[in-house]
Amino acid sequence: MNGADRDAQEPGDRPHSGVTRKSVLRAAALALPAPFLVAGAAQAMGAVAGAPASTPPLTPYCDDGDDPTPPQMEGPYFKPNSPRRASLVEAGTVGTRLTVVGHVFGLDCRPVPNVLLDFWQADANGGYDNTGYRMRGHQFTDASGAYRLSTIVPGLYPGRTRHIHVKAQAPNRPVLTTQLYFPGEPRNNTDSLYDPRLLMTVRTVSGGREATFDFVLNVTSGPTPTPTPTPTSTAPGGTWAPGTVYPAGARVTYGGVGYRCLQAHTAQPGWEPPNTPALWARD
């Protein structure tokens, strides 16, 4: 099985102060409707030439002029016209369940809506479906630039470490072709394409894995819209309230459960503690 039954390993905790690009809330909403932007395969981009001598930070602060997500080669298994879907898991799909969430940002650190994200990967045995569209699908980021992918941990095949392919395209802009990687994989050290800047943050949860990754595209998204006022009432049965500025270490209750704040942030609807493990840890 080419090692496909070995799960991606969980990385160690990496403490941070302040809100970092990859610790921003990963919203769980599906993408908004938008016209399909890519017709046919884009030209393959050059591979990043090996990993640097030292691993760069996984969660650099997002500031003006932040570096875009590095491109990587398309590889031989891309197929255009994948179905639009946020879940690649079908009836009978075998493998460790994996949920990948994140946002797409521009160089100005503002989220970019309606970005086309086209994912494809190997199945649990390390094989690609070259006749159909298993383990293939595209979606669009929602109004807050968020995406959510339900899939499985891809299997291994000769010459490569565990990875997920993706194409990302903001409306009417060039396509970014790249790959996402798993931390703690022994083959990361021998795969010539592996780039630690493309590591997802992965943790083990009940029933599988959860991963986060934020893309930064070489675009600017324009002025920040005026935010919609948020309600100030407390959550039912708890002290958590949208609109509140929570420092790291603050404690709240929500739905009868206590939570501790991991990252300083201003609470918003949809960022409730049970939905945001990047922001809140259960006591």
mmCIF file of all heavy atoms in Angstrom, residues 168-203:
data_model
loop_
_atom_site.group_PDB
_atom_site.id
_atom_site.type_symbol
_atom_site.label_atom_id
_atom_site.label_comp_id
_atom_site.label_asym_id
_atom_site.label_seq_id
_atom_site.Cartn_x
_atom_site.Cartn_y
_atom_site.Cartn_z
ATOM 1 N N ALA A 168 -5.216 27.872 -7.496
ATOM 2 C CA ALA A 168 -5.965 28.983 -6.903
ATOM 3 C C ALA A 168 -5.970 30.149 -7.879
ATOM 4 O O ALA A 168 -4.920 30.542 -8.386
ATOM 5 C CB ALA A 168 -5.339 29.410 -5.578
ATOM 6 N N GLN A 169 -7.165 30.691 -8.144
ATOM 7 C CA GLN A 169 -7.282 31.790 -9.097
ATOM 8 C C GLN A 169 -8.296 32.806 -8.588
ATOM 9 O O GLN A 169 -9.481 32.516 -8.445
ATOM 10 C CB GLN A 169 -7.716 31.286 -10.479
ATOM 11 C CG GLN A 169 -7.794 32.404 -11.515
ATOM 12 C CD GLN A 169 -8.351 31.931 -12.837
ATOM 13 O OE1 GLN A 169 -9.133 31.002 -12.884
ATOM 14 N NE2 GLN A 169 -7.943 32.571 -13.924
ATOM 15 N N ALA A 170 -7.816 34.014 -8.301
ATOM 16 C CA ALA A 170 -8.729 35.117 -8.007
ATOM 17 C C ALA A 170 -9.435 35.520 -9.296
ATOM 18 O O ALA A 170 -8.922 35.273 -10.398
ATOM 19 C CB ALA A 170 -7.958 36.305 -7.428
ATOM 20 N N PRO A 171 -10.628 36.119 -9.199
ATOM 21 C CA PRO A 171 -11.373 36.477 -10.415
ATOM 22 C C PRO A 171 -10.537 37.288 -11.399
ATOM 23 O O PRO A 171 -9.954 38.308 -11.055
ATOM 24 C CB PRO A 171 -12.551 37.294 -9.868
ATOM 25 C CG PRO A 171 -12.761 36.759 -8.494
ATOM 26 C CD PRO A 171 -11.384 36.443 -7.972
ATOM 27 N N ASN A 172 -10.444 36.761 -12.615
ATOM 28 C CA ASN A 172 -9.762 37.441 -13.721
ATOM 29 C C ASN A 172 -8.276 37.665 -13.467
ATOM 30 O O ASN A 172 -7.680 38.587 -14.040
ATOM 31 C CB ASN A 172 -10.448 38.779 -14.025
ATOM 32 C CG ASN A 172 -11.910 38.623 -14.357
ATOM 33 O OD1 ASN A 172 -12.302 37.791 -15.173
ATOM 34 N ND2 ASN A 172 -12.753 39.417 -13.699
ATOM 35 N N ARG A 173 -7.664 36.816 -12.661
ATOM 36 C CA ARG A 173 -6.236 36.931 -12.378
ATOM 37 C C ARG A 173 -5.544 35.616 -12.731
ATOM 38 O O ARG A 173 -6.193 34.594 -12.950
ATOM 39 C CB ARG A 173 -6.007 37.266 -10.902
ATOM 40 C CG ARG A 173 -6.619 38.599 -10.469
ATOM 41 C CD ARG A 173 -6.128 39.781 -11.318
ATOM 42 N NE ARG A 173 -4.698 39.944 -11.241
ATOM 43 C CZ ARG A 173 -4.081 40.735 -10.356
ATOM 44 N NH1 ARG A 173 -4.800 41.429 -9.479
ATOM 45 N NH2 ARG A 173 -2.775 40.851 -10.352
ATOM 46 N N PRO A 174 -4.205 35.614 -12.796
ATOM 47 C CA PRO A 174 -3.494 34.380 -13.147
ATOM 48 C C PRO A 174 -3.709 33.269 -12.116
ATOM 49 O O PRO A 174 -4.076 33.516 -10.968
ATOM 50 C CB PRO A 174 -2.023 34.828 -13.169
ATOM 51 C CG PRO A 174 -2.071 36.305 -13.379
ATOM 52 C CD PRO A 174 -3.302 36.771 -12.681
ATOM 53 N N VAL A 175 -3.449 32.043 -12.551
ATOM 54 C CA VAL A 175 -3.613 30.864 -11.699
ATOM 55 C C VAL A 175 -2.332 30.611 -10.920
ATOM 56 O O VAL A 175 -1.235 30.636 -11.473
ATOM 57 C CB VAL A 175 -3.953 29.626 -12.548
ATOM 58 C CG1 VAL A 175 -4.065 28.384 -11.677
ATOM 59 C CG2 VAL A 175 -5.244 29.848 -13.332
ATOM 60 N N LEU A 176 -2.467 30.363 -9.622
ATOM 61 C CA LEU A 176 -1.372 29.848 -8.808
ATOM 62 C C LEU A 176 -1.532 28.334 -8.738
ATOM 63 O O LEU A 176 -2.574 27.837 -8.314
ATOM 64 C CB LEU A 176 -1.410 30.431 -7.395
ATOM 65 C CG LEU A 176 -0.514 29.715 -6.372
ATOM 66 C CD1 LEU A 176 0.965 29.976 -6.668
ATOM 67 C CD2 LEU A 176 -0.879 30.113 -4.943
ATOM 68 N N THR A 177 -0.519 27.601 -9.150
ATOM 69 C CA THR A 177 -0.499 26.146 -9.015
ATOM 70 C C THR A 177 0.509 25.784 -7.950
ATOM 71 O O THR A 177 1.665 26.226 -8.001
ATOM 72 C CB THR A 177 -0.111 25.473 -10.344
ATOM 73 O OG1 THR A 177 -1.027 25.875 -11.364
ATOM 74 C CG2 THR A 177 -0.132 23.961 -10.218
ATOM 75 N N THR A 178 0.095 24.991 -6.959
ATOM 76 C CA THR A 178 1.004 24.662 -5.867
ATOM 77 C C THR A 178 0.597 23.343 -5.232
ATOM 78 O O THR A 178 -0.278 22.633 -5.742
ATOM 79 C CB THR A 178 1.042 25.813 -4.837
ATOM 80 O OG1 THR A 178 2.134 25.618 -3.943
ATOM 81 C CG2 THR A 178 -0.261 25.920 -4.066
ATOM 82 N N GLN A 179 1.254 22.973 -4.134
ATOM 83 C CA GLN A 179 0.977 21.729 -3.431
ATOM 84 C C GLN A 179 1.042 21.995 -1.931
ATOM 85 O O GLN A 179 1.797 22.866 -1.483
ATOM 86 C CB GLN A 179 1.994 20.640 -3.813
ATOM 87 C CG GLN A 179 2.024 20.338 -5.297
ATOM 88 C CD GLN A 179 3.043 19.265 -5.669
ATOM 89 O OE1 GLN A 179 3.199 18.276 -4.963
ATOM 90 N NE2 GLN A 179 3.730 19.455 -6.795
ATOM 91 N N LEU A 180 0.266 21.241 -1.155
ATOM 92 C CA LEU A 180 0.256 21.355 0.295
ATOM 93 C C LEU A 180 0.848 20.097 0.904
ATOM 94 O O LEU A 180 0.627 18.983 0.419
ATOM 95 C CB LEU A 180 -1.175 21.557 0.805
ATOM 96 C CG LEU A 180 -1.940 22.744 0.219
ATOM 97 C CD1 LEU A 180 -3.338 22.818 0.839
ATOM 98 C CD2 LEU A 180 -1.187 24.047 0.414
ATOM 99 N N TYR A 181 1.604 20.276 2.002
ATOM 100 C CA TYR A 181 2.330 19.169 2.606
ATOM 101 C C TYR A 181 1.943 18.959 4.062
ATOM 102 O O TYR A 181 1.380 19.845 4.710
ATOM 103 C CB TYR A 181 3.837 19.420 2.493
ATOM 104 C CG TYR A 181 4.324 19.419 1.068
ATOM 105 C CD1 TYR A 181 4.496 20.615 0.376
ATOM 106 C CD2 TYR A 181 4.593 18.230 0.408
ATOM 107 C CE1 TYR A 181 4.932 20.625 -0.941
ATOM 108 C CE2 TYR A 181 5.028 18.224 -0.904
ATOM 109 C CZ TYR A 181 5.200 19.420 -1.583
ATOM 110 O OH TYR A 181 5.611 19.410 -2.879
ATOM 111 N N PHE A 182 2.293 17.766 4.573
ATOM 112 C CA PHE A 182 1.979 17.361 5.929
ATOM 113 C C PHE A 182 3.242 17.389 6.778
ATOM 114 O O PHE A 182 4.293 16.898 6.344
ATOM 115 C CB PHE A 182 1.394 15.949 5.937
ATOM 116 C CG PHE A 182 0.051 15.832 5.273
ATOM 117 C CD1 PHE A 182 -0.062 15.800 3.884
ATOM 118 C CD2 PHE A 182 -1.105 15.749 6.036
ATOM 119 C CE1 PHE A 182 -1.301 15.688 3.268
ATOM 120 C CE2 PHE A 182 -2.352 15.631 5.433
ATOM 121 C CZ PHE A 182 -2.450 15.610 4.055
ATOM 122 N N PRO A 183 3.164 17.919 7.988
ATOM 123 C CA PRO A 183 4.350 17.918 8.860
ATOM 124 C C PRO A 183 4.646 16.527 9.398
ATOM 125 O O PRO A 183 3.770 15.660 9.481
ATOM 126 C CB PRO A 183 3.934 18.863 9.997
ATOM 127 C CG PRO A 183 2.440 18.762 10.041
ATOM 128 C CD PRO A 183 1.991 18.569 8.620
ATOM 129 N N GLY A 184 5.914 16.297 9.755
ATOM 130 C CA GLY A 184 6.303 15.053 10.394
ATOM 131 C C GLY A 184 6.423 13.856 9.484
ATOM 132 O O GLY A 184 6.564 12.731 9.967
ATOM 133 N N GLU A 185 6.371 14.068 8.170
ATOM 134 C CA GLU A 185 6.476 12.957 7.219
ATOM 135 C C GLU A 185 7.946 12.635 6.940
ATOM 136 O O GLU A 185 8.705 13.513 6.521
ATOM 137 C CB GLU A 185 5.784 13.316 5.912
ATOM 138 C CG GLU A 185 4.276 13.378 5.988
ATOM 139 C CD GLU A 185 3.655 11.998 6.133
ATOM 140 O OE1 GLU A 185 4.274 11.008 5.686
ATOM 141 O OE2 GLU A 185 2.558 11.911 6.709
ATOM 142 N N PRO A 186 8.385 11.377 7.123
ATOM 143 C CA PRO A 186 9.784 11.034 6.841
ATOM 144 C C PRO A 186 10.201 11.362 5.415
ATOM 145 O O PRO A 186 11.344 11.767 5.177
ATOM 146 C CB PRO A 186 9.832 9.526 7.109
ATOM 147 C CG PRO A 186 8.725 9.279 8.087
ATOM 148 C CD PRO A 186 7.643 10.240 7.710
ATOM 149 N N ARG A 187 9.296 11.219 4.458
ATOM 150 C CA ARG A 187 9.670 11.468 3.061
ATOM 151 C C ARG A 187 9.807 12.959 2.732
ATOM 152 O O ARG A 187 10.256 13.301 1.635
ATOM 153 C CB ARG A 187 8.652 10.836 2.114
ATOM 154 C CG ARG A 187 8.668 9.312 2.117
ATOM 155 C CD ARG A 187 7.900 8.780 0.924
ATOM 156 N NE ARG A 187 7.742 7.332 0.958
ATOM 157 C CZ ARG A 187 7.151 6.630 0.007
ATOM 158 N NH1 ARG A 187 6.646 7.246 -1.046
ATOM 159 N NH2 ARG A 187 7.030 5.322 0.110
ATOM 160 N N ASN A 188 9.413 13.831 3.660
ATOM 161 C CA ASN A 188 9.649 15.261 3.415
ATOM 162 C C ASN A 188 11.132 15.543 3.195
ATOM 163 O O ASN A 188 11.494 16.477 2.469
ATOM 164 C CB ASN A 188 9.148 16.097 4.602
ATOM 165 C CG ASN A 188 7.626 16.145 4.685
ATOM 166 O OD1 ASN A 188 6.933 15.714 3.771
ATOM 167 N ND2 ASN A 188 7.123 16.651 5.799
ATOM 168 N N ASN A 189 11.987 14.741 3.807
ATOM 169 C CA ASN A 189 13.432 14.964 3.713
ATOM 170 C C ASN A 189 14.037 14.448 2.416
ATOM 171 O O ASN A 189 15.178 14.787 2.097
ATOM 172 C CB ASN A 189 14.138 14.299 4.900
ATOM 173 C CG ASN A 189 13.727 14.901 6.227
ATOM 174 O OD1 ASN A 189 13.508 16.105 6.325
ATOM 175 N ND2 ASN A 189 13.627 14.064 7.257
ATOM 176 N N THR A 190 13.290 13.631 1.673
ATOM 177 C CA THR A 190 13.845 13.042 0.459
ATOM 178 C C THR A 190 13.101 13.464 -0.802
ATOM 179 O O THR A 190 13.558 13.163 -1.908
ATOM 180 C CB THR A 190 13.827 11.505 0.557
ATOM 181 O OG1 THR A 190 12.478 11.049 0.760
ATOM 182 C CG2 THR A 190 14.684 11.035 1.731
ATOM 183 N N ASP A 191 11.976 14.152 -0.651
ATOM 184 C CA ASP A 191 11.197 14.613 -1.801
ATOM 185 C C ASP A 191 11.789 15.937 -2.296
ATOM 186 O O ASP A 191 11.788 16.940 -1.582
ATOM 187 C CB ASP A 191 9.736 14.808 -1.386
ATOM 188 C CG ASP A 191 8.814 15.071 -2.559
ATOM 189 O OD1 ASP A 191 9.265 15.675 -3.558
ATOM 190 O OD2 ASP A 191 7.628 14.691 -2.486
ATOM 191 N N SER A 192 12.270 15.958 -3.530
ATOM 192 C CA SER A 192 12.937 17.154 -4.049
ATOM 193 C C SER A 192 11.984 18.322 -4.268
ATOM 194 O O SER A 192 12.418 19.469 -4.384
ATOM 195 C CB SER A 192 13.649 16.827 -5.366
ATOM 196 O OG SER A 192 12.712 16.409 -6.353
ATOM 197 N N LEU A 193 10.684 18.043 -4.321
ATOM 198 C CA LEU A 193 9.708 19.113 -4.513
ATOM 199 C C LEU A 193 9.230 19.717 -3.198
ATOM 200 O O LEU A 193 8.689 20.826 -3.189
ATOM 201 C CB LEU A 193 8.487 18.590 -5.278
ATOM 202 C CG LEU A 193 8.727 18.108 -6.704
ATOM 203 C CD1 LEU A 193 7.421 17.616 -7.305
ATOM 204 C CD2 LEU A 193 9.310 19.227 -7.555
ATOM 205 N N TYR A 194 9.425 19.028 -2.113
ATOM 206 C CA TYR A 194 8.909 19.467 -0.817
ATOM 207 C C TYR A 194 9.424 20.860 -0.456
ATOM 208 O O TYR A 194 10.599 21.167 -0.600
ATOM 209 C CB TYR A 194 9.309 18.467 0.259
ATOM 210 C CG TYR A 194 9.128 18.965 1.662
ATOM 211 C CD1 TYR A 194 7.863 19.052 2.231
ATOM 212 C CD2 TYR A 194 10.220 19.358 2.427
ATOM 213 C CE1 TYR A 194 7.687 19.523 3.521
ATOM 214 C CE2 TYR A 194 10.065 19.816 3.719
ATOM 215 C CZ TYR A 194 8.795 19.901 4.259
ATOM 216 O OH TYR A 194 8.629 20.368 5.545
ATOM 217 N N ASP A 195 8.510 21.710 0.016
ATOM 218 C CA ASP A 195 8.859 23.066 0.439
ATOM 219 C C ASP A 195 8.185 23.315 1.782
ATOM 220 O O ASP A 195 6.954 23.298 1.873
ATOM 221 C CB ASP A 195 8.368 24.084 -0.595
ATOM 222 C CG ASP A 195 8.862 25.497 -0.309
ATOM 223 O OD1 ASP A 195 9.105 25.823 0.870
ATOM 224 O OD2 ASP A 195 8.987 26.286 -1.272
ATOM 225 N N PRO A 196 8.954 23.542 2.858
ATOM 226 C CA PRO A 196 8.349 23.718 4.183
ATOM 227 C C PRO A 196 7.438 24.929 4.283
ATOM 228 O O PRO A 196 6.624 25.009 5.201
ATOM 229 C CB PRO A 196 9.560 23.838 5.118
ATOM 230 C CG PRO A 196 10.683 24.242 4.245
ATOM 231 C CD PRO A 196 10.426 23.614 2.910
ATOM 232 N N ARG A 197 7.560 25.881 3.350
ATOM 233 C CA ARG A 197 6.648 27.023 3.360
ATOM 234 C C ARG A 197 5.219 26.606 3.006
ATOM 235 O O ARG A 197 4.274 27.377 3.204
ATOM 236 C CB ARG A 197 7.130 28.087 2.376
ATOM 237 C CG ARG A 197 8.458 28.724 2.762
ATOM 238 C CD ARG A 197 8.960 29.645 1.665
ATOM 239 N NE ARG A 197 9.262 28.909 0.435
ATOM 240 C CZ ARG A 197 9.624 29.492 -0.711
ATOM 241 N NH1 ARG A 197 9.708 30.813 -0.782
ATOM 242 N NH2 ARG A 197 9.902 28.750 -1.761
ATOM 243 N N LEU A 198 5.053 25.396 2.486
ATOM 244 C CA LEU A 198 3.736 24.895 2.083
ATOM 245 C C LEU A 198 3.195 23.847 3.049
ATOM 246 O O LEU A 198 2.267 23.112 2.721
ATOM 247 C CB LEU A 198 3.819 24.317 0.669
ATOM 248 C CG LEU A 198 4.182 25.333 -0.416
ATOM 249 C CD1 LEU A 198 4.491 24.638 -1.734
ATOM 250 C CD2 LEU A 198 3.059 26.344 -0.598
ATOM 251 N N LEU A 199 3.761 23.799 4.247
ATOM 252 C CA LEU A 199 3.266 22.877 5.266
ATOM 253 C C LEU A 199 1.923 23.342 5.803
ATOM 254 O O LEU A 199 1.742 24.514 6.140
ATOM 255 C CB LEU A 199 4.251 22.798 6.431
ATOM 256 C CG LEU A 199 5.439 21.851 6.295
ATOM 257 C CD1 LEU A 199 6.397 22.068 7.462
ATOM 258 C CD2 LEU A 199 4.969 20.400 6.261
ATOM 259 N N MET A 200 0.989 22.422 5.890
ATOM 260 C CA MET A 200 -0.242 22.677 6.616
ATOM 261 C C MET A 200 0.014 22.496 8.109
ATOM 262 O O MET A 200 0.966 21.819 8.512
ATOM 263 C CB MET A 200 -1.345 21.712 6.170
ATOM 264 C CG MET A 200 -1.744 21.848 4.714
ATOM 265 S SD MET A 200 -3.092 20.717 4.246
ATOM 266 C CE MET A 200 -2.234 19.132 4.293
ATOM 267 N N THR A 201 -0.817 23.108 8.928
ATOM 268 C CA THR A 201 -0.841 22.816 10.352
ATOM 269 C C THR A 201 -1.885 21.728 10.561
ATOM 270 O O THR A 201 -3.049 21.911 10.201
ATOM 271 C CB THR A 201 -1.203 24.062 11.163
ATOM 272 O OG1 THR A 201 -0.224 25.075 10.933
ATOM 273 C CG2 THR A 201 -1.250 23.748 12.653
ATOM 274 N N VAL A 202 -1.477 20.594 11.104
ATOM 275 C CA VAL A 202 -2.347 19.414 11.178
ATOM 276 C C VAL A 202 -2.438 18.952 12.620
ATOM 277 O O VAL A 202 -1.439 18.934 13.343
ATOM 278 C CB VAL A 202 -1.807 18.271 10.289
ATOM 279 C CG1 VAL A 202 -2.754 17.080 10.312
ATOM 280 C CG2 VAL A 202 -1.594 18.756 8.859
ATOM 281 N N ARG A 203 -3.637 18.580 13.028
ATOM 282 C CA ARG A 203 -3.818 17.998 14.359
ATOM 283 C C ARG A 203 -4.770 16.816 14.266
ATOM 284 O O ARG A 203 -5.591 16.718 13.343
ATOM 285 C CB ARG A 203 -4.353 19.035 15.345
ATOM 286 C CG ARG A 203 -5.766 19.497 15.043
ATOM 287 C CD ARG A 203 -6.305 20.351 16.171
ATOM 288 N NE ARG A 203 -7.710 20.653 16.006
ATOM 289 C CZ ARG A 203 -8.521 21.001 16.995
ATOM 290 N NH1 ARG A 203 -8.045 21.095 18.219
ATOM 291 N NH2 ARG A 203 -9.794 21.267 16.768
#
